[in-house]
Amino acid sequence: MLNPGGAHKFERFIILFLIISVAVLLRRALMPLWIALAIAYVLDPLVGFWQEKLGGRRILGVILGYITVLSVLTVLIWSFADIVSDELARGTLQKSLSVLQEYYEKYQGLVEELSGFSFSGAGIRQLLKKLGTSSVNILISLVASIYILRDKEFFLSLLNKSGHLLFPQKTHGIIREIAYDINDVVSAFIKGVFIDSSLIAIMDTLVLTILGVEYALFIGCFAGIMNIIPYFGPVLGLIPAFISAFSDGGFAQGFIACAGLLLVQQLESNYLYPKIVGKSVGLHPLFVLLSVSAAGYFGGILWMILAVPIAGIIKVLVVTWAYRQ
C-alpha cells in the first residue's frame, strides 16, 4: 500500500502524463495557440517598451506594439505596390517578367524537381487550400496573442500555480530557475537577430544605392527581413535586387547587384552573425556556425532558424546539470 507521500507523487505523475498526452493528441488542433504564444513572446519586448513609456498601461502598450508592427508591414507593402505600379507604367516590368518566364519555362522541370512542388492545376489547388487554412490559423493566432500579451501576468501566475501542483517544491524551483535562464538566452537571441537584420538592411541599401539600383531602400529592408532565415533567406533577398537591376541595365547589371549583396552576406555570415547573435546567447562563433550547419543538414530551413537558440538552451541545461553535480 502506498504511503500518503507516494500516493501524492503518483497523482501528480498521472495528471502530468494526461496533460502531455492531450497536448500531443491535439498538437495540430492547438497549432494556433502555439503560434499565438510565439507571436506574443517575440512582441513582448516591444509591448514592454511602450508600456514603460505610457506609465505602465499594459493595454495601450499592446495596442501600440501591434500598431508599430503593422505600420512597418504597411509601409513595406505600400512601397512594393508603388514599385510595381511604377514599373507597369514604364513597361519595364513586363519585359523583365517575360524574360524571366522564358527562363522558368525552360527550366520548369528542374525547378519542380528541386522544390518538390508541382505547378500543375492540382498543385495550385493544393497550394491555395493550404494558404486558406493557414490564413485562418494565423488570424486566430493573432487574436489569441493579443489576449496573451494583455493578460501576461495572469497567465504567468497561472503557469506558476500549475507548476506548484504538478511538481514537488524543489523540482519546481529548479524548473523555474532553468526557465528564467532559457528566457534570457532566447530573448537575447531575438534582440541579436533584430540588430543583425537591421545592419544587413542598412548595408544592402548602401551597396545598392552606390550601384545605382532603383528602390534600394525597399530592397535593403526586404533583404534584412529575409536575413532572419539563415542561408536561404539571403537568397530570397537577392531576387528583388536582381529584378530591379535587370530591368534597367540587363543581365550584367543584375549580376553586379547580386554580387554586391553577396559580399555583404559573406561579411554577415562569417563575422557579424556569429559575433552579434552568438555573443548574445553566450556561444562561441564557431559553435554558432556548426549548430546552424548541422541543423540545416538534418532538419532543413526551420531548424536552421532555431539552431542558435536551441544551442543556447542546451548550454543552459548542461551548465545547470554540471553545477548541481
Side-chain angles (χ1 to χ4, degrees):
M1 185 175 181
L2 292 174
N3 58 52
H8 190 53
K9 289 181 180 179
F10 182 73
E11 290 175 359
R12 284 177 170 174
F13 173 77
I14 293 298
I15 294 173
L16 183 60
F17 176 78
L18 290 175
I19 292 174
I20 295 175
S21 299
V22 172
V24 171
L25 290 174
L26 299 178
R27 62 186 185 279
R28 291 191 177 181
L30 295 176
M31 185 56 67
L33 174 61
W34 311 136
I35 297 175
L37 289 170
I39 294 173
Y41 188 83
V42 172
L43 293 184
D44 184 61
L46 180 60
V47 172
F49 168 80
W50 284 117
Q51 180 182 356
E52 182 180 353
K53 295 297 182 181
L54 296 170
R57 299 177 183 178
R58 183 69 180 178
I59 184 62
L60 291 180
V62 173
I63 293 173
L64 282 179
Y66 276 89
I67 289 176
T68 302
V69 174
L70 290 175
S71 299
V72 173
L73 292 176
T74 301
V75 169
L76 289 174
I77 294 173
W78 186 271
S79 300
F80 179 74
D82 184 59
I83 291 172
V84 173
S85 61
D86 185 41
E87 292 296 316
L88 285 173
R90 294 193 303 172
T92 55
L93 182 62
Q94 296 95 319
K95 180 181 177 181
S96 300
L97 291 178
S98 63
V99 174
L100 292 174
Q101 184 178 1
E102 292 179 6
Y103 279 103
Y104 167 72
E105 291 175 352
K106 184 178 180 180
Y107 299 105
Q108 179 178 0
L110 178 61
V111 172
E112 292 183 356
E113 182 179 349
L114 293 176
S115 64
F117 179 79
S118 173
F119 290 87
S120 62
I124 296 298
R125 286 194 296 271
Q126 181 183 3
L127 177 61
L128 291 176
K129 182 179 179 181
K130 289 182 178 180
L131 287 176
T133 303
S134 300
S135 300
V136 173
N137 287 337
I138 291 175
L139 180 61
I140 295 174
S141 300
L142 287 173
V143 175
S145 67
I146 294 174
Y147 285 111
I148 294 172
L149 283 169
R150 187 193 67 177
D151 301 322
K152 171 186 173 182
E153 297 302 325
F154 166 76
F155 288 112
L156 288 177
S157 175
L158 182 63
L159 184 63
N160 187 46
K161 291 177 181 178
S162 300
H164 273 300
L165 294 174
L166 294 173
F167 303 103
Q169 183 175 358
K170 183 178 179 181
T171 304
H172 179 248
I174 295 173
I175 292 174
R176 283 192 62 186
E177 179 183 344
I178 293 175
Y180 280 121
D181 290 340
I182 290 176
N183 177 64
D184 290 340
V185 169
V186 177
S187 298
F189 168 76
I190 293 174
K191 293 176 183 177
V193 167
F194 174 77
I195 295 172
D196 181 67
S197 297
S198 299
L199 289 175
I200 283 293
I202 294 171
M203 289 189 293
D204 281 358
T205 300
L206 289 175
V207 169
L208 293 175
T209 301
I210 293 172
L211 294 176
V213 178
E214 287 193 284
Y215 316 114
L217 177 60
F218 171 78
I219 297 172
C221 292
F222 177 80
I225 294 173
M226 291 296 101
N227 193 69
I228 295 174
I229 307 174
Y231 295 129
F232 188 71
V235 176
L236 293 177
L238 295 176
I239 296 175
F242 177 81
I243 293 176
S244 180
F246 178 81
S247 64
D248 281 338
F251 183 83
Q253 185 67 13
F255 176 81
I256 293 173
C258 290
L261 296 190
L262 284 174
L263 288 176
V264 174
Q265 293 301 334
Q266 287 299 311
L267 172 65
E268 185 272 342
S269 61
N270 290 291
Y271 182 77
L272 293 180
Y273 188 87
K275 288 288 185 181
I276 297 175
V277 180
K279 185 178 180 180
S280 66
V281 297
L283 293 173
H284 190 278
L286 177 61
F287 293 136
V288 174
L289 292 175
L290 291 177
S291 62
V292 173
S293 299
Y297 179 80
F298 290 105
I301 297 172
L302 177 61
W303 287 103
M304 290 168 69
I305 300 174
L306 301 176
V308 177
I310 290 176
I313 291 171
I314 293 174
K315 178 191 173 184
V316 169
L317 296 176
V318 171
V319 170
T320 303
W321 173 81
Y323 177 76
R324 295 186 176 276
Q325 293 304 308

